[in-house]
Amino acid sequence: MKKVVVITGGSRGIGAATSKLLAAKGFAVCVNYKSNKAQAESVVNDICDRGGKAFPFQADVSIESDVIALFEAVKNTYGSVTHLVNNAGILFQQASISKISVERFNKILTTNITSCFLCCREALKYMNEGAAIVNVSSAASRSGSPFEYIDYAASKGAIDTLTKGLSIEVASMGIRVNGVRPGFIYTDMHADGGEANRVDRLSPQIPLQRGGTPDEVANAILWLLSDEASYVTGSFIDLAGGK
Ligand code: NAP
């Protein structure tokens, strides 16, 4: 089966590591990004330099028309999408509930969960038996992230629920839907929360005593997308060092 994957937010952090790993394993990769074109092109160039296939595509995946254009572009470039990684996500400055505006709450929801719904719906128009989706949730869906970002945690809880329900809706079509729940991974995202060294601060509280790497998450995503996980659907891999 020809493998064509869309990785939302594939230009930085976990998405960039996943783009490079999947390309090395023979996937043709659409590296989606929202704003940072240079970073997306850098990931694509790295893949192409190693003999892989990739192209960058700008789309704000919280916007329906952008998502429709994204999957049409993939179809025109590599043929129908066969695999999808819903990875794009954001968080804002750490704050307790009284400091969270409705505008912020809604921005988090549209970027983190409406995007996931839209990409799943559009991808499924092209997918057939053997296709697979991985949604990137978070350990925050279990902890609730009190005093940091309950808006973000709530959006990730919604991803878990969408993953479970959709996995059952499409199971009879031979399409699998799973999730990963990373926690404490070294990426730029923590700076957006106002604490760039958050992972190091929390490391003593993590059973494995360290933060994780984007490559460690990418390996779990690769496995869930692969035929080796052919009997796995509606499942989650926690990547939070035992937390
Ligand atoms: P990151 O380094 O901040 O990268 C975020 C990526 O998402 C960038 O490529 C960004 O593109 C893209 N993006 C943001 N908004 C977008 C939108 N509306 N449309 C399309 N792309 C968009 O983040 P990360 O730490 O790798 O996180 C990746 C995923 O893992 C997220 O879903 C996050 O919630 C989850 N996660 C991360 C951790 C962690 O510890 N890092 C823990 C648990 C879960 P631009 O640069 O172009 O804006």
Side-chain angles (χ1 to χ4, degrees):
M1 176 185 180
K2 185 178 165 192
K3 294 179 291 186
V4 178
V5 66
V6 171
I7 303 178
T8 70
S11 57
R12 292 195 289 120
I14 292 167
T18 305
S19 295
K20 291 176 187 176
L21 180 63
L22 294 186
K25 297 295 179 183
F27 287 78
V29 182
C30 172
V31 178
N32 160 250
Y33 67 101
K34 180 186 172 195
S35 318
N36 195 332
K37 184 178 182 185
Q39 194 62 47
E41 288 179 344
S42 162
V43 171
V44 167
N45 289 340
D46 186 86
I47 289 170
C48 295
D49 287 348
R50 292 165 194 265
K53 290 172 76 174
F55 80 105
F57 193 85
Q58 191 283 328
D60 179 339
V61 287
S62 67
I63 297 174
E64 185 175 32
S65 54
D66 279 21
V67 173
I68 291 168
L70 166 65
F71 287 96
E72 283 176 355
V74 172
K75 166 86 176 161
N76 293 335
T77 308
Y78 292 137
S80 291
V81 64
T82 59
H83 296 76
L84 168 65
V85 182
N86 280 307
N87 165 78
I90 57 168
L91 51 69
F92 293 125
Q93 183 77 30
Q94 294 172 7
S96 54
I97 190 168
S98 63
K99 301 278 186 346
I100 297 177
S101 68
V102 69
E103 291 79 15
R104 164 174 160 162
F105 195 90
N106 286 336
K107 179 73 176 171
I108 288 288
L109 290 187
T110 54
T111 303
N112 293 0
I113 178 66
T114 304
S115 61
C116 182
F117 150 71
L118 285 172
C119 289
C120 287
R121 190 190 70 186
E122 291 309 307
L124 284 164
K125 291 177 180 170
Y126 298 94
M127 286 178 162
N128 297 304
E129 185 172 359
I133 296 171
V134 171
N135 296 327
V136 180
S137 174
S138 170
S141 76
R142 295 182 284 115
S143 74
S145 300
F147 308 109
E148 288 193 314
Y149 13 71
I150 60 167
D151 48 356
Y152 172 82
S155 74
K156 295 301 186 177
I159 286 184
D160 289 1
T161 307
L162 184 148
T163 300
K164 193 75 194 171
L166 183 61
S167 72
I168 296 167
E169 277 199 19
V170 300
S172 65
M173 297 160 63
I175 298 174
R176 298 180 302 103
V177 187
N178 292 291
V180 292
R181 285 192 289 236
F184 323 109
I185 309 301
Y186 286 102
T187 72
D188 296 340
M189 173 173 264
H190 303 286
D192 297 336
E195 189 184 4
N197 68 347
R198 177 174 176 268
V199 176
D200 286 335
R201 175 177 63 81
L202 294 174
S203 287
Q205 299 171 31
I206 299 168
L208 284 179
Q209 299 285 298
R210 65 170 179 85
T213 67
D215 285 339
E216 289 175 311
V217 182
N219 276 314
I221 294 171
L222 169 66
W223 183 75
L224 285 170
L225 290 180
S226 76
D227 291 342
E228 290 170 7
S230 53
Y231 201 51
V232 181
T233 199
S235 295
F236 300 87
I237 296 179
D238 290 304
L239 297 125
K243 187 90 171 156

